[in-house]
Amino acid sequence: MRITTSDDKRDFLLWLQKRSSDLARKGIVFSLSVDDLECPNYVDLHVEGIESNEAVCSRIALLLFRYLRGVWLYRFIGRTLWEHHSYLDDDEQNLLQVRAFREMAMNYPAELAKDSQEGMESRKPLLYLQIRELLLRQGEVHLGGVMTFRFAERMSLIHDVVKDTVDSFLANKEYEEFVSVLRFFADSAKQTPGEIHLVCAQNVIRAYEENRQELDLTLMNEIALKHSSRDLHPHDVLMSALITRGPERIVLHADAPEIPFFMTVEKVFGDRVKKRTSAEVDPFLSEFYPLEKS
């Protein structure tokens, strides 16, 4: 068996050592030898307790398959993060390594080979079958080569999962930093008595004073147009108006359980926010809901 990196050799031998005790109780004993103690690129794996060569190859192939799907994959994800996203600190890399590995385990199970016999109910993982074929035909296997050349599409998928995991993390981190800045300004602004009602019905959000008059955003829109080279999203203008106004309370009225903008408002204004979620029990929402249907 060809193992080219010292980390892979260490991890595989430690992993096999943990597996060997359970197998020994079944009468199956593994012994290892290496070609060079200083740099053991080749690891010879000997099996006792199994008579046929085919059974030995099947057992070793299953061990290697489980190692590659577990320990090797986890380390490969960590190595990919370090090589392509070195700007992340150690804690962030460790977190994303776990997330990407979990994503692969939950949503991308091992690829199964097509049934070789019509009517077969059990199907074997393709990676396992290819390793067993190599062992039966050549008597050896190159772990890195198996993954790099025989499973190029799977390797590409792993890279995609890592990239998506990092992109999602960075987007969420940027959002949290954005919310933190808004919270700072909201906490620093002087509060004014009274409350503002935010009404979301059929994905349209409107802001109202206590007297049911719609909140005037004209000034905020003018300021936004004056200081920005592009049109700001209406939600950005509304958030600026809320921070500037600094209401003592903000009451949320929604016809759906989760409104992204409302979730941001809750994060920014904290305890000043109250929620109402049903038109049937919320007179304010039921009063304005017909406006959204017209």
Side-chain angles (χ1 to χ4, degrees):
M1 180 168 53
R2 180 79 169 176
I3 305 178
T4 54
T5 70
S6 58
D7 287 339
D8 282 334
K9 287 191 284 286
R10 178 203 62 205
D11 288 345
F12 175 72
L13 295 177
L14 288 174
W15 182 85
L16 186 60
Q17 184 180 32
K18 294 178 180 178
R19 304 282 83 74
S20 62
S21 58
D22 292 334
L23 292 171
R25 284 191 284 268
K26 300 177 182 179
I28 302 173
V29 179
F30 287 91
S31 60
L32 300 171
S33 61
V34 296
D35 63 329
D36 185 344
L37 293 177
E38 297 297 326
C39 184
N41 289 326
Y42 283 97
V43 176
D44 291 327
L45 189 58
H46 305 275
V47 184
E48 299 177 10
I50 303 178
E51 294 185 0
S52 72
N53 180 63
E54 183 175 350
V56 169
C57 291
S58 296
R59 174 67 68 175
I60 295 176
L62 184 60
L63 284 171
L64 293 177
F65 166 74
R66 290 176 175 171
Y67 168 78
L68 291 170
R69 284 283 299 171
V71 178
W72 186 91
L73 175 60
Y74 186 77
R75 282 200 62 258
F76 180 80
I77 289 173
R79 190 160 57 238
T80 302
L81 284 167
W82 184 83
E83 291 175 354
H84 298 282
H85 306 281
S86 57
Y87 54 86
L88 298 169
D89 63 33
D90 290 344
D91 290 338
E92 291 172 335
Q93 292 213 14
N94 291 336
L95 173 66
L96 295 178
Q97 185 178 10
V98 172
R99 286 184 180 178
F101 179 75
R102 185 169 59 235
E103 174 72 11
M104 287 295 303
M106 294 178 61
N107 297 320
Y108 299 98
E111 182 181 1
L112 300 179
K114 294 181 179 180
D115 296 337
S116 57
Q117 299 178 19
E118 189 174 340
M120 285 183 61
E121 295 182 359
S122 61
R123 298 172 64 189
K124 301 294 185 181
L126 183 59
L127 178 58
Y128 158 75
L129 293 176
Q130 296 224 357
I131 294 174
R132 187 180 67 171
E133 178 190 354
L134 286 172
L135 290 172
L136 287 170
R137 188 173 69 248
Q138 302 177 4
E140 66 178 38
V141 61
H142 188 305
L143 292 187
V146 167
M147 297 304 293
T148 302
F149 300 107
R150 291 179 177 265
F151 278 80
E153 291 185 6
R154 178 65 55 152
M155 297 291 284
S156 178
L157 173 62
I158 296 171
H159 281 287
D160 290 342
V161 168
V162 171
K163 181 180 182 302
D164 291 344
T165 301
V166 172
D167 289 346
S168 176
F169 171 78
L170 293 177
N172 185 68
K173 183 179 180 180
E174 183 178 353
Y175 169 74
E176 292 298 333
E177 292 173 350
F178 168 71
V179 168
S180 178
V181 171
L182 294 181
R183 188 185 301 118
F184 170 78
F185 285 112
D187 292 341
S188 302
K190 181 180 179 181
Q191 290 189 27
T192 57
E195 58 191 24
I196 295 293
H197 295 263
L198 297 182
V199 181
C200 180
Q202 296 185 346
N203 296 320
V204 177
I205 297 177
R206 293 177 178 173
Y208 297 92
E209 305 275 5
E210 284 184 281
N211 61 6
R212 303 303 202 258
Q213 294 297 312
E214 194 160 3
L215 185 64
D216 187 1
L217 300 177
T218 304
L219 179 59
M220 281 298 161
N221 276 308
E222 291 176 352
I223 294 175
L225 291 173
K226 182 178 180 180
H227 292 85
S228 177
S229 59
R230 59 184 178 85
D231 292 337
L232 294 180
H233 193 283
H235 291 175
D236 296 331
V237 176
L238 179 54
M239 179 64 76
S240 297
L242 291 172
I243 291 175
T244 303
R245 177 71 169 272
E248 190 175 34
R249 290 179 304 280
I250 299 175
V251 185
L252 307 179
H253 309 264
D255 62 350
E258 292 186 359
I259 309 297
F261 180 71
F262 280 10
M263 296 169 68
T264 302
V265 170
E266 290 183 84
K267 287 177 176 288
V268 172
F269 292 94
D271 294 339
R272 285 191 272 171
V273 177
K274 306 298 180 185
K275 296 177 66 175
R276 304 292 295 275
T277 57
S278 172
E280 295 181 0
V281 297
D282 184 353
F284 200 105
L285 182 58
S286 61
E287 179 179 346
F288 286 95
Y289 188 79
L291 293 177
E292 310 304 335
K293 295 181 178 180
S294 59

